[in-house]
Amino acid sequence: MITQQPLIAPQRLNLMNGFLALLKKPSPIEISILCYSDLNPWKHPTPYEFHFSEYWRPKFEVIACENDLSFWDFKDIYTDGDIACHVTLINQSGICIYGRAISETFPLVPEKDFWDSIIWGIDYFSKLDGELLVTGILTLLRSYKENKAIYSKAQAGEWTIGLVPIRYRHIIKNVVDSYNNEAKLKDFLASDLDNLRHYVINQIKDHHWTNGKR
């Protein structure tokens, strides 16, 4: 979401309370609110006015209970290295719900910033387990070099099944099926999951995929 003016603390607090009340209905929400002047001209990492995701829900619930307005009274500029990836995806496949057209709002992201954005989140995704493993693995798989585009998470999983080593393909298939609500996520060996994540991370850092016929 893009605003013309920076937000003030009461607006951020009201936004937080509003998103907390949604309780994952109909599905979990992740949103960043940016000021137009922080996007144009392009900056990386990109400043943001507000961010909400389920990752932050526990902390935000404490802030809500304490009615802590000071948390949202930004004294510094906060940036997010992940926004370059999001803006790339918006330019490629986004839908404008209200306001200016995407082409009039979002600048083109330099390829260097895009890949820096992908690598920026690797440490986080490399530590995921449990339920978050599903979207974590698919998020890692989603970015690829050959076609210079971004797949949806499900498309990414289906695309990479034929590229990763054979020993990992059953994991990705189950993750995709689980993401599509077509199967229950299996309990894989921790060593297999770690090896798969390390393989994907190395491919991303190298900016290419190798043929996985092993």
Side-chain angles (χ1 to χ4, degrees), residues 61-132:
E61 287 176 339
V62 172
I63 295 170
C65 289
E66 298 175 349
N67 198 30
D68 184 7
L69 183 63
S70 65
F71 177 84
W72 293 111
D73 187 15
F74 289 0
K75 303 299 184 185
D76 300 310
I77 296 174
Y78 290 90
T79 62
D80 185 353
D82 203 29
I83 290 174
C85 179
H86 295 321
V87 172
T88 301
L89 181 58
I90 289 170
N91 282 324
Q92 175 189 302
S93 306
I95 298 173
C96 179
I97 298 175
Y98 176 81
R100 295 182 185 176
I102 288 172
S103 60
E104 298 174 1
T105 306
F106 293 92
L108 295 178
V109 175
E111 187 173 356
K112 177 181 180 299
D113 292 348
F114 168 73
W115 280 106
D116 183 66
S117 180
I118 296 299
I119 295 172
W120 181 84
I122 281 180
D123 287 342
Y124 169 71
F125 289 119
S126 67
K127 296 179 177 67
L128 293 178
D129 57 17
E131 181 181 353
L132 288 176

Side-chain angles (χ1 to χ4, degrees), residues 12-189:
R12 296 187 182 107
L13 181 65
N14 289 338
L15 283 166
M16 178 195 71
N17 289 328
F19 284 114
L20 285 174
L22 292 177
L23 296 174
K24 301 184 180 181
K25 296 179 181 179
S27 62
I29 290 176
E30 180 172 0
I31 185 170
S32 292
I33 298 179
L34 316 175
C35 187
Y36 180 83
S37 60
D38 288 329
L39 271 176
N40 298 275
W42 169 251
K43 305 173 185 68
H44 176 71
T46 311
Y48 66 90
E49 292 294 317
F50 175 85
H51 179 82
F52 180 90
S53 70
E54 290 301 315
Y55 175 83
W56 286 99
R57 179 177 287 274
K59 182 176 180 64
F60 287 168
E61 287 176 339
V62 172
I63 295 170
C65 289
E66 298 175 349
N67 198 30
D68 184 7
L69 183 63
S70 65
F71 177 84
W72 293 111
D73 187 15
F74 289 0
K75 303 299 184 185
D76 300 310
I77 296 174
Y78 290 90
T79 62
D80 185 353
D82 203 29
I83 290 174
C85 179
H86 295 321
V87 172
T88 301
L89 181 58
I90 289 170
N91 282 324
Q92 175 189 302
S93 306
I95 298 173
C96 179
I97 298 175
Y98 176 81
R100 295 182 185 176
I102 288 172
S103 60
E104 298 174 1
T105 306
F106 293 92
L108 295 178
V109 175
E111 187 173 356
K112 177 181 180 299
D113 292 348
F114 168 73
W115 280 106
D116 183 66
S117 180
I118 296 299
I119 295 172
W120 181 84
I122 281 180
D123 287 342
Y124 169 71
F125 289 119
S126 67
K127 296 179 177 67
L128 293 178
D129 57 17
E131 181 181 353
L132 288 176
L133 175 64
V134 176
T135 54
I137 286 182
L138 293 180
T139 298
L140 284 173
L141 298 177
R142 182 164 63 180
S143 300
Y144 64 102
K145 183 71 173 179
E146 284 84 347
N147 299 322
K148 296 184 179 180
I150 304 176
Y151 283 142
S152 70
K153 291 176 180 177
Q155 289 173 325
E158 294 167 356
W159 178 78
T160 51
I161 284 176
L163 297 178
V164 300
I166 293 174
R167 61 183 180 275
Y168 299 137
R169 294 179 186 177
H170 69 288
I171 298 177
I172 296 177
K173 185 178 187 311
N174 178 247
V175 169
V176 172
D177 290 344
S178 175
Y179 183 80
N180 290 329
N181 295 317
E182 297 174 356
K184 182 179 179 181
L185 185 63
K186 297 179 180 178
D187 292 326
F188 297 105
L189 292 175

